[in-house]
């Protein structure tokens, strides 16, 4: 399953609105003979890719998949059929498919005499590669990660507004890698005026990576004539988070990064539309600079948006914290 997760990670950012699924086929002796991951929409699912590589060695073997194999004719035929035809005798999957159109694969497989085991590394998969898609499948809305960098005292800039570079080079490189695996990045039009970001994913040498997320600018005002995003971004003239998310869902966007600024972050937090907070905290104190969030609707301590920390990791000299709202 760890190998299947690694396969799925490779295609993250290329499959939406379908899930990035990974699959490994083992032959009857338990040797890994086929690896596969979901292809872009309309293309083969992970199981079909792995079976193709395994060829005749799949006969009597096991398929290990991060998501329950689909049982439906969608844009592609059911994976349950492909597994049966290849002579697979055992299927192990991590997460059950919440999509009512595709679900039921486990039962179809069992009914045709294949043994099925569900739930292996379910937590890793549902928090990792399938997290955004599971949220999208259950709610119909894209999954929103709000990312920010701040000083240890929670400031995102100095008093005079200067903010380059609070976080370390390591953290910034990490952010570029993440961008390449996303469907879209949202910023407010205020950030475009202030910082003129390109929102591209770049390597250490500043060269754009092959895979680029859709840049999205949110706000009522026009973008400045010379802005880098003026001709590349989708400009949504609203400040209402659900209108933004509906417009993105309609374009098949599943996994979104919200990058700023503080007013837009406040609007999403206040509307309950931040599904994960990713904070890069630099060991610096800025004193009187602006805060990371404005107007999240918290006026007294009992209104605080309480989170649960999922992960804390050092990112160079910075601390990276991943936290999710308490349910
Ligand atoms: C799998 N393996 O690799 C993926 C699955 O329109 P289709 O035919 O591409 O089907 C899309 C649905 O199939 C998607 O919403 C999800 O429920 C499931 N995705 N299933 O067996 C895969 N990507
Ligand atoms: Zn399938």
């Amino acid at each position: 399953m760890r190998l299947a997760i690694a396969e799925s990670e490779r295609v993250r950012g290329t499959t939406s609105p379908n899930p990035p699924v990974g699959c490994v086929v083992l032959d009857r002796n338990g040797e890994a003979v086929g690896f596969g991951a979901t292809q872009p929409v309309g293309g083969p699912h992970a199981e079909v890719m792995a079976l193709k590589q395994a060829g005749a060695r799949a006969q009597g073997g096991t398929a290990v998949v991060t998501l329950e194999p689909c049982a439906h004719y969608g844009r592609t035929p059911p994976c349950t059929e492909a597994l049966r035809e290849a002579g697979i005798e055992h299927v192990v999957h991590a997460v059950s498919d919440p999509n009512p159109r595709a679900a039921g694969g486990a039962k179809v497989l069992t009914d045709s005499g294949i043994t099925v085991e569900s739930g292996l590394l379910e937590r890793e998969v549902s928090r990792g590669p399938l997290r955004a898609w599971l949220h999208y499948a259950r709610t119909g809305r894209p999954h929103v990660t709000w990312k920010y960098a701040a000083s240890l005292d929670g400031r995102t800039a100095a008093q005079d507004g200067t903010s380059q570079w609070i976080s370390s080079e390591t953290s910034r490189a990490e952010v570029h890698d993440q961008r390449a695996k996303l469907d879209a990045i949202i910023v407010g039009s205020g950030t475009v005026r202030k910082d003129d970001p390109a929102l591209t994913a770049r390597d250490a040498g500043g060269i754009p990576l092959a895979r680029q997320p859709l840049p999205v600018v949110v706000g009522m005002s026009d973008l400045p004539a010379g802005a880098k995003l003026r001709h590349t971004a989708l400009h949504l003239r609203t400040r209402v988070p659900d209108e933004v998310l509906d417009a993105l869902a309609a374009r098949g966007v599943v996994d979104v990064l919200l990058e700023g600024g503080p007013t837009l972050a406040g609007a999403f937090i206040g509307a309950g539309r931040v599904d994960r907070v990713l904070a890069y905290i630099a060991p610096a104190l800025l004193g009187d600079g602006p805060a990371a969030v404005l107007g999240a609707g918290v006026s007294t301590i009992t209104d605080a948006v309480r989170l649960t920390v999922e992960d804390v990791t050092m990112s160079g000299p910075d601390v990276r914290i991943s936290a999710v709202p308490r349910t």
Side-chain angles (χ1 to χ4, degrees), residues 181-192:
K181 296 183 168 186
L182 289 161
D183 296 328
I185 305 183
I186 306 176
V187 293
S189 49
T191 299
V192 175

Side-chain angles (χ1 to χ4, degrees), residues 44-48 68-72 76-80 97 102:
H45 287 180
E47 296 89 324
V48 172
E68 178 185 12
C70 69
H72 75 310
T76 71
C79 289
T80 47
D97 194 330

